[in-house]
Amino acid sequence: MHNETLYHTFLELLKDQFTPEDEKNIIALVQKHHAADLAPVLDQLEMQQAARVLKYMEMPFQAEVFGYLEPSTQSNLVDELGVAHITRLIDVMDADDRVDFYNNLDEEHQQAILPGLAQAEREDIRKLSSYGEGTVGAIMTSDYAALAQNLRAGEALERLRQEAPDKETIYNAYVVDEHRQLMGVVSLKDLILAQPGTLVTDLMNSDVVSINAAEHQSEAARKIAKYDLLALPVINGNDKLAGIVTHDDAMDVAEAEATEDIHRMGGVSPSAPGLGSVNMLEASTWMMVQKRLPWLLVLVFMNIFSGAGIAHFEDTIEAVVALVFFLPLLIDSGGNAGSQSATLMIRALATGRAHLRDWFTLLSKEIGVAILLGVGMALAVSLIGVFRAGPEVAVVVAMTMVCTVLFGSLVGTALPFVLSRLKLDPATASAPLVTSIADIGGVLIYFSIATWVLRDIIAAAGAA
């Protein structure tokens, strides 16, 4: 059922004249839909209505749906459901969802909820919430399966059978020593196929791909994608197993990182509050202004240089007014070529398919590509130049097209590498920034070529 249809169905069932039949229909409705499909609908309902629907779900499924809700909805439901109900809900939530929810609450709600939790849950929340935002530790879960190295396959399977209900995943179990240092990983498949008396250490893979809890979360997503892992073990500073990052959390990280890069490339400020975490429908007008205004102001002042360049060549423009006709065409072509190059380079750097050491190779290749693109575009625009203003202007326009496309492409290629070298996000080489730089260069290139090629015409116009 489509979200909009499901939303209106809930509204109809939650009417004032509520009947036992409506109650049965709501229960049947929540039972036949996935948690990820129900959560967006609950986000749209009024908090009182959303709380009523949640209470018709079994507690484990209710916790699953709750984990998919928007942070703002989760916070509002604390008062609606009550601290006692929220405490029971937290108790059955996945460890990572539990910490995310807790961190999104204000201090008053945190202090109200924490005393009602079991000591194990309190310690787990304190440990996981101590990691800085954006680190691997902030997204890992402590619900992982660990096995002692002296166990045999039969004993390990029995241990996993007992622990499975409380673990995020048991497809891979991590072998640790008495100090919880990571020794290896063993798959559930290998345990099942092995003879019961086989030692776990004989089955495990000791060459384990892991990550430090202090590293950036995007590195965890990259490793999970690169090595095709279901989960990535996380170690702390003492090389002890601290938790795991699952592939679904890695997907969330990848989506968030991609959203941030897209915002940066569009010239949207990453320093504005709520970036990437607030639905566009929920974002306030002031928040959207904060997101977009800083870069727009920077670009406004950058474009002043374009105007200054045009003013510097007033004599050339007065002598050959037809040059103005081709100005937007040439400037946009350079900016467009630069945006294409920047997009390709930023994506290559983000996915690890290009590195700083590849700068010269990629720049050399881009020069060849840009020249060919510029020549092709120059041939097309020169025909318009001959028809519109004569062969002299056509030569100027064709030469400028090649130069501006080359300049824009080089800016778009080089800027992400320069920013990476300066330890800045390459995505800051946004399309508006590259376009503005290409515009300034394009104006200077165009009128410089025109002044040189048409110097006789300009001199004659000045003498007259």
Side-chain angles (χ1 to χ4, degrees):
M1 188 181 294
H2 191 272
N3 280 356
E4 198 65 29
T5 305
L6 190 58
Y7 169 71
H8 289 293
T9 303
F10 274 123
L11 286 182
E12 180 64 25
L13 292 173
L14 293 166
K15 59 183 182 295
D16 293 336
Q17 295 78 27
F18 193 68
T19 66
E21 188 65 27
D22 292 330
E23 181 177 334
K24 291 180 182 178
N25 289 333
I26 290 178
I27 294 173
L29 205 57
V30 299
Q31 287 177 343
K32 66 186 287 190
H33 285 87
H34 192 279
D37 294 323
L38 289 170
V41 178
L42 266 60
D43 282 324
Q44 297 179 63
L45 294 173
E46 294 180 5
M47 287 303 100
Q48 185 180 13
Q49 295 173 325
R52 286 174 63 186
V53 173
L54 278 172
K55 288 179 180 179
Y56 286 116
M57 304 174 189
E58 295 291 334
M59 189 59 76
F61 185 64
Q62 189 179 139
E64 187 178 355
V65 173
F66 198 84
Y68 281 106
L69 294 174
E70 292 287 341
S72 57
T73 304
Q74 291 180 339
S75 299
N76 291 332
L77 281 171
V78 174
D79 293 324
E80 198 63 47
L81 292 170
V83 171
H85 187 101
I86 290 294
T87 301
R88 294 197 303 274
L89 195 63
I90 289 176
D91 189 52
V92 295
M93 289 176 72
D94 291 336
D96 49 347
D97 289 338
R98 179 193 303 148
V99 173
D100 288 341
F101 168 56
Y102 179 82
N103 288 337
N104 285 326
L105 294 174
D106 56 45
E107 188 174 351
E108 182 181 349
H109 283 119
Q110 288 179 347
Q111 296 303 319
I113 289 171
L114 208 56
L117 300 175
Q119 183 176 355
E121 277 72 30
R122 288 202 303 270
E123 291 302 319
D124 189 56
I125 286 176
R126 286 196 179 102
K127 183 183 76 172
L128 294 180
S129 61
S130 66
Y131 292 99
E133 185 178 355
T135 63
V136 173
I139 61 168
M140 73 179 181
T141 176
S142 55
D143 290 338
Y144 58 89
L147 298 171
Q149 57 183 340
N150 60 350
L151 289 177
R152 299 186 182 276
E155 297 170 328
L157 284 172
E158 183 58 33
R159 178 72 60 82
L160 292 177
R161 189 177 291 113
Q162 295 172 0
E163 295 182 356
D166 301 321
K167 302 305 178 185
E168 185 93 5
T169 176
I170 60 167
Y171 296 115
N172 286 320
Y174 302 96
V175 183
V176 295
D177 63 12
E178 61 274 16
H179 303 295
R180 297 202 67 78
Q181 288 194 316
L182 183 62
M183 307 297 294
V185 59
V186 59
S187 69
L188 181 60
K189 177 183 176 181
D190 289 340
L191 289 173
I192 292 173
L193 295 177
Q195 293 297 320
T198 307
L199 284 171
V200 168
T201 49
D202 293 334
L203 297 172
M204 73 179 188
N205 177 13
S206 57
D207 186 18
V208 187
V209 177
S210 62
I211 192 168
N212 193 284
E215 289 194 56
H216 196 275
Q217 59 189 22
S218 61
E219 182 62 17
R222 189 190 67 80
K223 282 191 173 184
I224 287 176
K226 179 179 180 179
Y227 296 103
D228 198 20
L229 302 173
L230 289 174
L232 178 68
V234 181
I235 58 175
N236 59 22
N238 298 318
D239 292 334
K240 293 182 180 180
L241 185 61
I244 61 172
V245 175
T246 55
H247 70 284
D248 56 325
D249 290 325
M251 289 176 62
D252 292 339
V253 169
E255 180 184 358
E257 292 289 325
T259 300
E260 183 175 322
D261 284 349
I262 291 169
H263 283 181
R264 288 179 184 272
M265 291 176 68
V268 178
S269 174
S271 61
L275 183 66
S277 62
V278 176
N279 189 295
M280 284 289 290
L281 294 173
E282 296 179 350
S284 66
T285 300
W286 176 238
M287 179 180 292
M288 296 307 298
V289 170
Q290 285 180 288
K291 284 173 176 283
R292 298 168 62 179
L293 184 60
W295 262 115
L296 289 176
L297 289 176
V298 170
L299 296 174
V300 163
F301 286 103
M302 284 189 65
N303 285 327
I304 290 176
F305 291 100
S306 297
I310 293 173
H312 180 73
F313 291 100
E314 282 183 1
D315 292 342
T316 301
I317 295 171
E318 287 179 3
V320 188
V321 179
L323 292 171
V324 177
F325 174 82
F326 297 96
L327 181 60
L329 181 151
L330 295 168
I331 298 305
D332 286 350
S333 295
N336 292 337
S339 296
Q340 285 184 336
S341 299
T343 300
L344 292 172
M345 291 305 108
I346 290 168
R347 189 58 185 164
L349 289 169
T351 57
R353 295 179 179 177
H355 304 86
L356 285 174
R357 63 177 179 271
D358 303 319
W359 178 81
F360 184 76
T361 301
L362 290 172
L363 197 65
S364 301
K365 180 181 291 186
E366 187 63 22
I367 290 174
V369 172
I371 290 174
L372 291 175
L373 290 174
V375 169
M377 296 169 71
L379 290 174
V381 78
S382 62
L383 297 176
I384 302 173
V386 171
F387 175 77
R388 181 71 176 79
E392 295 89 351
V393 172
V395 170
V396 171
V397 171
M399 291 174 63
T400 303
M401 180 62 79
V402 175
C403 293
T404 55
V405 169
L406 177 61
F407 177 75
S409 297
L410 292 180
V411 170
T413 301
L415 199 53
F417 284 98
V418 171
L419 292 171
S420 293
R421 183 71 177 175
L422 296 175
K423 307 299 183 184
L424 298 174
D425 191 340
T428 307
S430 59
L433 178 59
V434 171
T435 301
S436 294
I437 295 174
D439 286 353
I440 297 169
V443 166
L444 297 176
I445 290 169
Y446 182 34
F447 289 116
S448 295
I449 291 175
T451 302
W452 175 63
V453 173
L454 305 175
R455 55 187 178 277
D456 294 339
I457 297 174
I458 296 169

